[in-house]
Amino acid sequence: MPSTYEERHELQHKAHSSRRIRVEHGIAHLKNWRALARHLGRREHMSDIVQAVAGLLSHQQTVTLSRGFQA
């Protein structure tokens, strides 16, 4: 347990930042999907679009994980 006010404040600040970054990333993902939804185009290309988006997300997650292991 932190003994000083400053230590407690720092721990609370870090915990708040950790929760906030998750929310900020969630909002960013929603904005990306909204932008994509406006530009989907013709419905007959939907399966190609879904596969492309899934590939991009998979690649993004792979890069994010590999950066986490390097830190």
Side-chain angles (χ1 to χ4, degrees):
M1 179 89 178
S3 59
T4 66
Y5 172 79
E6 290 82 13
E7 289 173 340
R8 285 192 305 261
H9 177 74
E10 184 65 25
L11 287 174
Q12 289 173 346
H13 176 71
K14 286 182 180 182
H16 179 262
S17 294
S18 178
R19 288 189 301 269
R20 181 177 173 161
I21 195 67
R22 292 184 200 133
V23 173
E24 295 291 338
H25 285 158
I27 291 169
H29 278 280
L30 289 174
K31 287 181 179 179
N32 287 338
W33 283 108
R34 191 176 321 145
L36 177 63
R38 279 188 243 132
H39 301 289
L40 282 178
R42 303 182 61 113
R43 297 213 185 268
E44 60 263 17
H45 300 294
M46 181 61 94
S47 64
D48 293 333
I49 293 169
V50 168
Q51 286 180 336
V53 169
L56 289 170
L57 287 174
S58 177
H59 175 71
Q60 178 186 11
Q61 290 172 348
T62 302
V63 169
T64 302
L65 283 175
S66 66
R67 285 183 184 161
F69 289 128
Q70 292 173 356

